[in-house]
Amino acid sequence: MEGNTHRSNKQSIDRSMYTVVLTKWLEAASTFYNHYNQLRPYATLVSSGQDLSAAKFVNQSQCPAGQLRRLLGRMHQELEMLVQDMDQAETPDSGCTQQQCRKLTTHTRILTQLNQRAQTMSLLITLPAS
């Protein structure tokens, strides 16, 4: 029994490291959520054709509507994967396993990349065509 306890402790990350990993993930996820909600109305308006001025605005900006829809599709896909992974995750009281922390770190990296693309897309939407 003692050998199993030693092995499980070796596979877990200390609580302070888990806190850092989780904090970075939460910050990236919050920014991701904000970007997604900021961009989604533009794609919805362009797709539905309900507001021709919004569609015209996006199409005349430096941001093609197709790129916007693809980015939002990728963001939505990543969000679904994150939710699925979070549903499967078990967080022990003492921290997280190395595998769980690696997964959170990977998700943080992906979210950060998508956040950078979303920020660029937001800037492009607000720039008029030259």
Side-chain angles (χ1 to χ4, degrees):
M1 184 82 173
E2 195 172 310
N4 289 340
T5 303
H6 178 69
R7 190 178 323 132
S8 66
N9 287 340
K10 199 172 188 178
Q11 292 176 345
S12 67
I13 304 293
D14 71 16
R15 196 161 192 68
S16 63
M17 180 60 141
Y18 175 66
T19 301
V20 169
V21 169
L22 186 59
T23 300
K24 287 181 180 184
W25 180 85
L26 287 170
E27 288 171 357
S30 175
T31 302
F32 177 87
Y33 177 79
N34 290 335
H35 281 303
Y36 184 81
N37 284 327
Q38 181 183 14
L39 292 173
R40 190 177 49 158
Y42 289 106
T44 302
L45 290 171
V46 170
S47 297
S48 69
Q50 291 175 353
D51 185 346
L52 294 178
S53 63
K56 184 178 178 184
F57 176 75
V58 171
N59 289 328
Q60 289 182 349
S61 72
Q62 301 293 328
C63 172
Q67 286 182 3
L68 176 61
R69 283 191 295 270
R70 282 190 297 278
L71 175 61
L72 285 168
R74 176 68 177 100
M75 291 175 85
H76 184 77
Q77 180 183 24
E78 187 61 30
L79 187 59
E80 287 178 348
M81 288 190 301
L82 287 170
V83 168
Q84 183 180 12
D85 283 348
M86 294 306 288
D87 285 345
Q88 295 172 358
E90 293 180 27
T91 307
D93 292 334
S94 61
C96 70
T97 66
Q98 289 177 353
Q99 180 182 5
Q100 289 169 325
C101 281
R102 273 195 302 270
K103 190 174 268 193
L104 278 177
T105 301
T106 299
H107 282 304
T108 301
R109 188 181 72 250
I110 292 167
L111 289 173
T112 299
Q113 290 169 351
L114 288 170
N115 285 336
Q116 290 169 348
R117 289 179 57 201
Q119 184 175 15
T120 300
M121 192 74 59
S122 293
L123 291 172
L124 290 174
I125 285 173
T126 60
L127 289 175
S130 352

